[in-house]
Amino acid sequence: MDTLLHLFVGLHIIGIAALLGGFLTQMKAMGEGTARFGPAMLHGALTMLVTGMVLVGLNQAQDYSVDNVKIGVKLALLIVILGLVYVKRDEEKVDKGLFGLVGLLTVANVFIAVLWT
């Protein structure tokens, strides 16, 4: 069961990498006002959502402690990210503030995962 848990942690990290990588590759375009949400960002956010739910389930199935408040905060941030990326995914360019917000929320989600103990 631990192998399965580690597999989903790896997939969760790949989802974060896709979302954050999609953001970082658009930084120059954001400065020019032509940034857009690419498919990698949407797929990364969806991967994070699915693998995060599986990780919580696997941890609870093994009677490991799960900080439900931390998971709730991370889920709330991810739902906002996913909503913004999904709604604006077909637009030719996205407002700088909105695009920056997605990057900020993604980084906040990473730091919550790492620093909240």
Side-chain angles (χ1 to χ4, degrees):
M1 191 74 126
D2 281 338
T3 303
L4 193 59
L5 189 67
H6 294 308
L7 173 70
F8 277 98
V9 168
L11 292 173
H12 195 67
I13 292 171
I14 289 170
I16 294 167
L19 178 59
L20 190 57
F23 172 78
L24 292 175
T25 58
Q26 293 281 320
M27 289 291 291
K28 184 176 180 182
M30 184 176 83
E32 298 168 355
T34 59
R36 58 182 308 200
F37 295 127
M41 294 179 75
L42 177 62
H43 294 184
L46 287 170
T47 300
M48 287 175 61
L49 179 65
V50 171
T51 57
M53 292 187 323
V54 170
L55 285 168
V56 169
L58 287 173
N59 278 299
Q60 288 180 342
Q62 290 185 325
D63 289 330
Y64 293 158
S65 66
V66 175
D67 188 346
N68 290 320
V69 175
K70 175 182 174 180
I71 299 302
V73 169
K74 287 178 56 58
L75 179 62
L77 291 177
L78 185 58
I79 287 173
V80 171
I81 292 167
L82 193 53
L84 290 173
V85 173
Y86 185 77
V87 168
K88 301 288 188 176
R89 73 187 185 282
D90 290 332
E91 293 189 10
E92 286 298 316
K93 55 184 175 177
V94 178
D95 179 58
K96 287 181 187 180
L98 198 59
F99 195 78
L101 178 64
V102 168
L104 178 69
L105 292 176
T106 302
V107 170
N109 213 341
V110 170
F111 279 111
I112 288 169
V114 173
L115 299 176
W116 187 331
T117 55

